[in-house]
Protein backbone atom coordinates (compact mmCIF):
# COMPACT_ATOMS: atom_id res chain seq x y z
CA UNK A 1 0.00 0.00 0.00
CA UNK A 2 1.29 3.46 -0.83
CA UNK A 3 2.12 6.00 1.85
CA UNK A 4 -0.67 8.35 0.79
CA UNK A 5 -3.19 5.50 1.06
CA UNK A 6 -2.06 4.65 4.58
CA UNK A 7 -2.29 8.31 5.60
CA UNK A 8 -5.73 8.65 4.01
CA UNK A 9 -7.00 5.60 5.92
CA UNK A 10 -5.62 7.01 9.20
CA UNK A 11 -7.35 10.33 8.54
CA UNK A 12 -10.62 8.60 7.63
CA UNK A 13 -10.53 6.52 10.81
CA UNK A 14 -9.81 9.63 12.88
CA UNK A 15 -12.77 11.50 11.33
CA UNK A 16 -15.08 8.53 11.91
CA UNK A 17 -14.01 8.36 15.57
CA UNK A 18 -14.68 12.10 16.01
CA UNK A 19 -18.11 11.67 14.44
CA UNK A 20 -18.76 8.83 16.87
CA UNK A 21 -18.15 11.20 19.76
CA UNK A 22 -20.80 13.57 18.41
CA UNK A 23 -23.25 10.66 18.29
CA UNK A 24 -22.26 9.32 21.74
CA UNK A 25 -22.87 12.73 23.26
CA UNK A 26 -26.39 12.72 21.82
CA UNK A 27 -25.72 15.85 19.78
CA UNK A 28 -27.22 14.50 16.57
CA UNK A 29 -30.50 13.59 18.27
CA UNK A 30 -30.65 16.75 20.37
CA UNK A 31 -30.15 19.02 17.36
CA UNK A 32 -32.27 17.03 14.94
CA UNK A 33 -29.08 16.50 12.90
CA UNK A 34 -28.97 20.25 12.18
CA UNK A 35 -25.42 20.82 10.93
CA UNK A 36 -25.61 24.59 11.51
CA UNK A 37 -26.40 24.06 15.20
CA UNK A 38 -23.63 21.49 15.56
CA UNK A 39 -21.07 23.72 13.84
CA UNK A 40 -22.22 26.73 15.88
CA UNK A 41 -21.77 24.79 19.11
CA UNK A 42 -18.30 23.65 18.04
CA UNK A 43 -17.34 27.22 17.14
CA UNK A 44 -18.62 28.40 20.54
CA UNK A 45 -16.49 25.73 22.18
CA UNK A 46 -13.44 26.83 20.19
CA UNK A 47 -14.02 30.46 21.23
CA UNK A 48 -14.35 29.37 24.86
CA UNK A 49 -11.05 27.46 24.66
CA UNK A 50 -9.31 30.55 23.21
CA UNK A 51 -10.70 32.83 25.94
CA UNK A 52 -9.44 33.51 29.45
CA UNK A 53 -11.72 30.66 30.55
CA UNK A 54 -9.93 28.20 28.26
CA UNK A 55 -7.88 26.38 30.88
CA UNK A 56 -10.85 26.04 33.22
CA UNK A 57 -13.15 24.86 30.43
CA UNK A 58 -10.59 22.33 29.20
CA UNK A 59 -10.25 20.86 32.72
CA UNK A 60 -14.02 20.62 33.23
CA UNK A 61 -14.70 19.13 29.81
CA UNK A 62 -11.82 16.65 30.13
CA UNK A 63 -13.17 15.46 33.50
CA UNK A 64 -16.68 15.14 32.11
CA UNK A 65 -15.37 13.22 29.09
CA UNK A 66 -13.37 10.83 31.26
CA UNK A 67 -16.47 10.21 33.40
CA UNK A 68 -18.52 9.47 30.29
CA UNK A 69 -15.91 7.09 28.85
CA UNK A 70 -15.65 5.28 32.20
CA UNK A 71 -19.44 5.02 32.53
CA UNK A 72 -19.72 3.68 28.99
CA UNK A 73 -16.91 1.17 29.54
CA UNK A 74 -18.44 -0.01 32.83
CA UNK A 75 -21.79 -0.72 31.20
CA UNK A 76 -20.37 -2.34 28.06
CA UNK A 77 -17.72 -4.77 29.29
CA UNK A 78 -16.95 -7.38 26.66
CA UNK A 79 -19.15 -5.79 24.00
CA UNK A 80 -18.04 -4.42 20.68
CA UNK A 81 -18.46 -0.70 20.10
CA UNK A 82 -21.88 0.30 18.76
CA UNK A 83 -24.13 3.33 18.86
CA UNK A 84 -25.50 3.79 22.39
CA UNK A 85 -29.22 3.66 23.01
CA UNK A 86 -31.11 6.69 24.33
CA UNK A 87 -30.76 5.39 27.90
CA UNK A 88 -27.01 5.09 27.44
CA UNK A 89 -26.74 8.76 26.37
CA UNK A 90 -27.66 9.90 29.89
CA UNK A 91 -24.13 9.76 31.34
CA UNK A 92 -22.90 11.90 28.48
CA UNK A 93 -25.50 14.61 29.02
CA UNK A 94 -25.04 14.96 32.75
CA UNK A 95 -24.96 18.60 33.81
CA UNK A 96 -22.71 18.06 36.84
CA UNK A 97 -19.68 19.77 35.30
CA UNK A 98 -21.08 22.59 33.20
CA UNK A 99 -19.05 25.69 32.36
Amino acid sequence: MRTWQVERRKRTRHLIELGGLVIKAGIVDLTGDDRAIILGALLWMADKLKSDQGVHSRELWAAKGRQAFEAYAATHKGETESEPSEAEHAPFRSSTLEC
Side-chain angles (χ1 to χ4, degrees):
M1 194 176 298
R2 295 193 166 135
T3 303
W4 68 268
Q5 289 172 314
V6 171
E7 292 304 314
R8 184 174 180 191
R9 286 186 180 189
K10 281 186 197 175
R11 181 178 183 274
T12 299
R13 179 177 176 89
H14 182 72
L15 293 173
I16 290 168
E17 289 171 349
L18 292 173
L21 294 174
V22 173
I23 291 169
K24 272 187 175 178
I27 300 301
V28 174
D29 293 335
L30 291 169
T31 64
D33 200 11
D34 186 318
R35 310 293 167 91
I37 294 173
I38 295 169
L39 179 58
L42 292 170
L43 291 170
W44 172 83
M45 189 173 80
D47 287 343
K48 189 95 163 168
L49 290 170
K50 291 182 227 175
S51 76
D52 60 343
Q53 299 172 349
V55 172
H56 179 68
S57 297
R58 188 179 312 270
E59 290 170 356
L60 287 174
W61 294 340
K64 187 171 185 120
R66 281 190 298 275
Q67 284 178 341
F69 279 130
E70 290 168 5
Y72 187 84
T75 60
H76 294 83
K77 290 184 180 181
E79 294 180 17
T80 58
E81 187 73 20
S82 63
E83 184 176 337
S85 68
E86 183 59 30
E88 294 166 333
H89 282 204
F92 301 104
R93 291 198 291 250
S94 166
S95 61
T96 58
L97 294 174
E98 289 185 15
C99 274

